[in-house]
Amino acid sequence: MLKTIIAFIIIFGVLVFAHEFGHFIMAKRAGIKVLEFAFGIGPKIFGYQGKETLYSVRLLPLGGFNRFLSAEEIQAGRENGENLDISEQELRDHSFENKSLWRRMLVVVAGPIMNFLLGMALFVFLFAVFGVANPQNVNIIGEVSKDKPAAAAGIVAGDRILAINGVNTPDWNSVTAQIHAHPGEEMQFTIQKAATNEVVSLEITPEYDQQSKQGLIGITPSYTMEKVSVGQSIKYGIQRTIEFTRMLILYIVDMITGKVPPELSGPVGVGQVIHEGVQQGMSTLVTLTAVLSINFAVLNLLPLPALDGGQLVVMIYEGIRRKPLSAEKKGWIQLTGFALLIALMIAVTYQDIVRLITK
């Protein structure tokens, strides 16, 4: 359990730090003064005052923020007793609200972009160190997904699929051809068990997968790891990032349109996945961090208040009307979005706990 907690804190800390550093570095490039770069949320543990930025570490390492120079921040700081000696000239030249629309949008989008880059870098690292999985065209199962038909039927990694509905399946291509073509139909699987070499007959019904439009039972082929060059690792890392981002966007669209039921996970669900990753080893944890980083990037770009995507929508609206929204309206938008975000977090955390209890 201690290893899981440490891994949880490190993974989320890395994701949040990369995200906030993206905002920070782009703000610096845009000539915006950053009053504070905070790692973590809650009460401040310690901080270092740089030339113009306070670098602080907060109590809970599950978030972070940047305080950009603005009239609102100056007012809030003075109300909190901070001694902010900011001239009107500095406010005009280096405040967030006085920069052009495009520069402000770049600052906002830089956080998600940094998470995309982090995910890509981790995939490149994986391929460079561990190699590329090379699937074998044999009828031996490599991995079995939890809560899928194969797992429910008692199939485990290493089992061999000899036949399906009386049709011999000597290789993986013949296995998938049968499964993909019969979604929703009960099928007779002839399985040679890895542990005992005993041949058993199992009835399994493939699920219809909305994305691939075919039947699946939750199995993957066995594979060998093939060493690749650094150049190939970079190529595969970019491909994997694009591929996973595309899959995630399509899944979100399918959830919104009702094609697939919403399956969301909160901190408890993610913690359970990290716990399983800790047990499986370093390569699984690195893969999980890469996947979560890309998830973090895509979700932050959704056009919802309190997220980066919501801020982009507000900025685009201000650009179209050529007039900024009042601070009061922006405050209500942020407050509403934050309340919705908390409500959603509570709901998915409740679902996570129910799933854990009923397992």
Side-chain angles (χ1 to χ4, degrees):
M1 181 58 72
L2 180 60
K3 287 183 179 180
T4 299
I5 294 172
I6 293 172
F8 185 91
I9 292 173
I10 291 175
I11 289 174
F12 269 86
V14 169
L15 299 188
V16 171
F17 181 84
H19 185 88
E20 295 302 332
F21 183 73
H23 292 313
F24 173 81
I25 200 68
M26 186 56 69
K28 289 285 191 179
R29 297 278 295 178
I32 298 169
K33 184 173 182 177
V34 183
L35 298 176
E36 182 179 359
F37 176 83
F39 176 69
I41 56 177
K44 182 173 68 176
I45 300 175
F46 62 86
Y48 166 73
Q49 181 62 56
K51 185 176 180 181
E52 64 176 25
T53 303
L54 171 64
Y55 301 93
S56 65
V57 175
R58 304 272 170 160
L59 181 62
L60 301 174
L62 301 177
F65 60 87
N66 285 279
R67 286 178 59 206
F68 300 135
L69 176 63
S70 67
E72 294 173 31
E73 283 294 341
I74 291 175
Q75 181 64 29
R78 286 172 179 166
E79 290 175 358
N80 291 330
E82 294 181 43
N83 183 23
L84 295 175
D85 186 18
I86 306 293
S87 67
E88 289 297 325
Q89 183 64 42
E90 186 174 8
L91 183 61
R92 284 194 298 270
D93 293 343
H94 300 291
S95 67
F96 182 79
E97 68 260 26
N98 285 334
K99 293 300 178 180
S100 67
L101 175 65
W102 291 109
R103 286 190 178 185
R104 284 182 284 136
M105 290 177 71
L106 283 173
V107 171
V108 170
V109 80
I113 287 176
M114 189 62 75
N115 283 121
F116 278 120
L117 293 176
L118 173 63
M120 186 184 301
L122 289 173
F123 278 134
V124 171
F125 171 81
L126 273 170
F127 293 131
V129 174
F130 297 101
V132 176
N134 185 18
Q136 302 297 296
N137 189 28
V138 295
N139 58 358
I140 300 174
I141 297 169
E143 294 181 7
V144 180
S145 301
K146 282 188 174 181
D147 304 320
K148 294 296 180 182
I155 289 178
V156 297
D159 287 353
R160 186 186 294 270
I161 302 177
L162 302 177
I164 302 176
N165 281 352
V167 178
N168 290 333
T169 51
D171 52 43
W172 193 257
N173 290 339
S174 58
V175 169
T176 55
Q178 290 292 318
I179 296 172
H180 292 171
H182 298 90
E185 300 179 23
E186 188 176 80
M187 307 182 75
Q188 200 78 23
F189 283 68
T190 303
I191 306 292
Q192 183 179 33
K193 302 298 292 180
T196 62
N197 286 329
E198 179 187 4
V199 176
V200 299
S201 182
L202 301 174
E203 293 178 350
I204 304 173
T205 303
E207 293 179 345
Y208 179 70
D209 182 65
Q210 290 284 352
Q211 292 185 354
S212 62
K213 312 297 182 185
Q214 58 194 11
L216 298 176
I217 64 171
I219 58 174
T220 59
S222 58
Y223 58 87
T224 58
M225 298 305 295
E226 177 185 347
K227 289 291 184 180
V228 295
S229 67
V230 174
Q232 288 175 309
S233 299
I234 294 172
K235 174 186 173 183
Y236 290 135
I238 294 172
Q239 289 177 343
R240 182 62 58 86
T241 302
I242 294 172
E243 173 188 311
F244 189 81
T245 302
R246 176 180 171 276
M247 289 174 56
L248 182 58
I249 292 173
L250 289 175
Y251 181 70
I252 292 173
V253 170
D254 284 345
M255 279 200 302
I256 294 172
T257 56
K259 291 183 179 179
V260 297
E263 292 185 9
L264 302 174
S265 289
V268 175
V270 174
Q272 179 65 23
V273 174
I274 291 175
H275 173 69
E276 294 170 3
V278 168
Q279 295 176 322
Q280 294 175 21
M282 180 58 68
S283 63
T284 301
L285 273 179
V286 175
T287 302
L288 177 61
T289 306
V291 169
L292 287 174
S293 189
I294 296 171
N295 266 278
F296 196 54
V298 172
L299 293 178
N300 258 285
L301 288 174
L302 292 178
L304 301 175
L307 298 179
D308 293 331
Q311 292 187 57
L312 288 174
V313 170
V314 171
M315 289 179 184
I316 292 170
Y317 175 71
E318 290 177 333
I320 293 173
R321 73 194 292 254
R322 297 181 181 278
K323 184 181 178 182
L325 287 174
S326 66
E328 184 179 0
K329 287 183 179 178
K330 286 183 179 179
W332 275 110
I333 291 173
Q334 291 292 326
L335 183 61
T336 302
F338 185 73
L340 290 173
L341 208 58
I342 293 297
L344 178 62
M345 187 65 69
I346 292 172
V348 297
T349 300
Y350 173 77
Q351 289 181 347
D352 289 340
I353 294 173
V354 169
R355 279 196 290 261
L356 284 175
I357 292 174
T358 55
K359 270 189 175 181

